[in-house]
Amino acid sequence: MKPQICHLPSDCRPVSEILSRIGDKWSVLVITLLGDAPLRFGELKREIGGISQKMLTATLRALERDGFVLRRDYGTVPPKVEYELTELGRDLLVPVTALAAWARQNQTHVEEARRRFDDACPERTGGSG
Amino acid sequence: MKPQICHLPSDCRPVSEILSRIGDKWSVLVITLLGDAPLRFGELKREIGGISQKMLTATLRALERDGFVLRRDYGTVPPKVEYELTELGRDLLVPVTALAAWARQNQTHVEEARRRFDDACPERTGGSG
DNA sequence: CCGTATCCTATCGGATACTG
DNA sequence: CAGTATCCGATAGGATACGG
């Protein structure tokens, strides 16, 4: 997810960067789960229940690359790999948790707004006013 | 833009929902700009500088639908349409701003982590080999 | 058990042309 | 100026098969 060109004050670039990263699909989910406790690959997959190996791997790789997640390979047979949040990851968890709290608190407002919009929309979408 | 099925505790669903919405591409940018002042369509487009009409329209529609943005059509010729944050939108601005602040503060840490990762596993970064 | 590679589809998102 | 419709490339992401 390239952050595209941006002519705005310094606010936009890092924010779009982070948002594109953690807002991608499963990242917040993974971060939240790992914020609770370190988990193995399979445990994460089972907990999430709906993610493909490919996406879980990609998500973890990206998170690891960004320094949010630490991959701990025990090098055993059968393989055992544990993932845990780094300090940066736990740090990120704070504003993410705040956003999560907001989302839970205002969830119904958003849903109502959507219903209102969808109800008003078909009569409006043709013209303005 | 579906949030997919999710078997997790109540945390994940609304968060993924919100994150998928505002983390999509331009939404945070638009919200941040409108958080400063109401703006017309063309002003937004010029300020962002890199967004297409299609995407700006889509982004604003989605934001309007979710109740974050109010579309004010003056019904004049030539057309004049102003967009501003609703109360819900301004409310959302709070955790988003917090995340933005975090992003700015930790931007270098992330970049360093990426460099470290790319330096440590050059053969894995590309994915194809 | 922990991945990787490939295929395939849906969506994202830009460029462009057109309307009112 | 504000917005829509269409075409097109790029990417996200699931299903599956294969490998250590």
Side-chain angles (χ1 to χ4, degrees), chain B residues 1 24-26 50-55 79 127 129:
Chain B
M1 204 74 89
D24 60 349
K25 191 63 179 182
W26 306 98
I51 191 174
S52 56
Q53 296 100 315
K54 176 187 170 184
M55 282 318 296

Side-chain angles (χ1 to χ4, degrees), chain B residues 56-111:
Chain B
L56 184 51
T57 302
T59 301
L60 288 169
R61 277 279 182 285
L63 257 26
E64 186 192 1
R65 190 174 105 98
D66 286 356
F68 300 140
V69 161
L70 176 68
R71 179 178 182 273
R72 195 182 296 272
D73 189 342
Y74 288 85
T76 59
V77 174
K80 171 176 177 177
V81 180
E82 252 183 12
Y83 292 91
E84 58 182 291
L85 289 189
T86 62
E87 199 178 331
L88 193 64
R90 285 190 299 273
D91 206 32
L92 173 61
L93 200 57
V94 177
V96 164
T97 302
L99 194 60
W102 189 95
R104 260 181 283 111
Q105 286 165 15
N106 296 89
Q107 185 186 352
T108 53
H109 296 127
V110 174
E111 287 168 2

Side-chain angles (χ1 to χ4, degrees), chain A:
Chain A
M1 189 72 85
K2 289 277 178 66
Q4 86 276 335
I5 319 100
C6 180
H7 309 141
L8 278 176
S10 47
D11 268 354
C12 81
R13 214 248 301 176
V15 180
S16 294
E17 186 67 26
I18 296 295
L19 258 292
S20 295
R21 174 58 67 224
I22 69 174
D24 61 349
K25 192 66 181 179
W26 306 98
S27 294
V28 165
L29 218 45
V30 171
I31 290 175
T32 303
L33 284 171
L34 294 182
D36 199 37
L39 289 172
R40 298 180 60 176
F41 185 90
E43 290 174 334
L44 270 170
K45 189 167 187 318
R46 232 172 303 118
E47 289 282 333
I48 296 175
I51 191 173
S52 56
Q53 296 101 313
K54 176 186 170 183
M55 282 318 295
L56 183 51
T57 302
T59 302
L60 287 169
R61 276 279 181 286
L63 257 26
E64 187 192 0
R65 190 174 106 98
D66 287 355
F68 300 139
V69 162
L70 176 68
R71 179 179 183 274
R72 195 182 295 272
D73 190 342
Y74 288 85
T76 59
V77 175
K80 171 176 177 178
V81 180
E82 253 183 12
Y83 292 92
E84 57 182 292
L85 288 189
T86 62
E87 198 179 331
L88 192 64
R90 286 191 297 274
D91 205 32
L92 174 62
L93 198 58
V94 177
V96 165
T97 302
L99 193 59
W102 188 95
R104 261 182 282 111
Q105 286 165 15
N106 295 89
Q107 185 186 352
T108 53
H109 296 129
V110 174
E111 287 169 0
E112 285 166 14
R114 285 181 190 171
R115 261 190 285 278
R116 260 180 280 127
F117 184 90
D118 291 344
D119 189 47
C121 193
E123 302 145 15
R124 263 193 47 214
T125 31
S128 32

